[in-house]
Amino acid sequence: MTHDNSAWIAVSISALTLLNLAFLMYSAYWKLPLAERHLADSLIVSSTKSVWKGNGPVARLNRLSAIALVFTMRGLLERRGLVQRDIVNDVPLSLRIWTAGPILSSCLMLVTAVGYWFLEQI
């Protein structure tokens, strides 16, 4: 890979990371309260709210991660008694996307950045 291509790839990954961070903050401050109201009867949400109190960005992002977990691993959490299927099914699809999407894209960005780093080491 040429030096110019490497630089553009690194800049692109950085720009996408900043854009993803903006989506994470938007979801944490505007969509998280809605999702917490929908899932208020779920044990995982109430437990997470008791551990991560406050309205700081770290607390909000950790609570957002727990809600993303509800939407991505609903079956596992249901078997463990942490959520109820009917409550999760009542959450609108757009709210599910806004809460789980930025978290999943963060994971994808991490895998992409690490993969790019490994390719540069070769």
Side-chain angles (χ1 to χ4, degrees):
M1 205 175 294
T2 66
H3 183 67
D4 289 339
N5 288 343
S6 296
W8 280 111
I9 291 171
V11 167
S12 299
I13 289 173
S14 299
L16 287 173
T17 301
L18 290 175
L19 183 64
N20 190 56
L21 182 61
F23 283 133
L24 274 169
M25 288 295 118
Y26 175 78
S27 294
Y29 280 91
W30 282 277
K31 299 298 181 178
L32 176 65
L34 296 171
E36 286 178 335
R37 272 182 279 188
H38 279 284
L39 300 170
D41 295 333
S42 298
L43 183 60
I44 191 167
V45 173
S46 60
S47 298
T48 305
K49 281 182 82 169
S50 68
V51 171
W52 294 102
K53 298 175 184 171
N55 288 322
V58 173
R60 284 182 177 264
L61 287 173
N62 280 300
R63 293 193 328 248
L64 184 68
S65 296
I67 288 184
L69 186 69
V70 168
F71 296 138
T72 56
M73 300 206 170
R74 180 182 62 197
L76 176 68
L77 296 175
E78 184 182 359
R79 284 191 299 272
R80 300 207 181 247
L82 298 173
V83 296
Q84 298 162 345
R85 182 176 296 271
D86 56 340
I87 292 174
V88 177
N89 287 340
D90 288 340
V91 178
L93 180 62
S94 64
L95 187 57
R96 292 181 199 188
I97 292 170
W98 272 109
T99 52
I103 298 292
L104 293 176
S105 63
S106 295
C107 295
L108 183 62
M109 293 291 298
L110 178 65
V111 168
T112 302
V114 170
Y116 173 69
W117 181 80
F118 276 126
L119 284 176
E120 285 293 312
Q121 300 304 312
I122 296 176

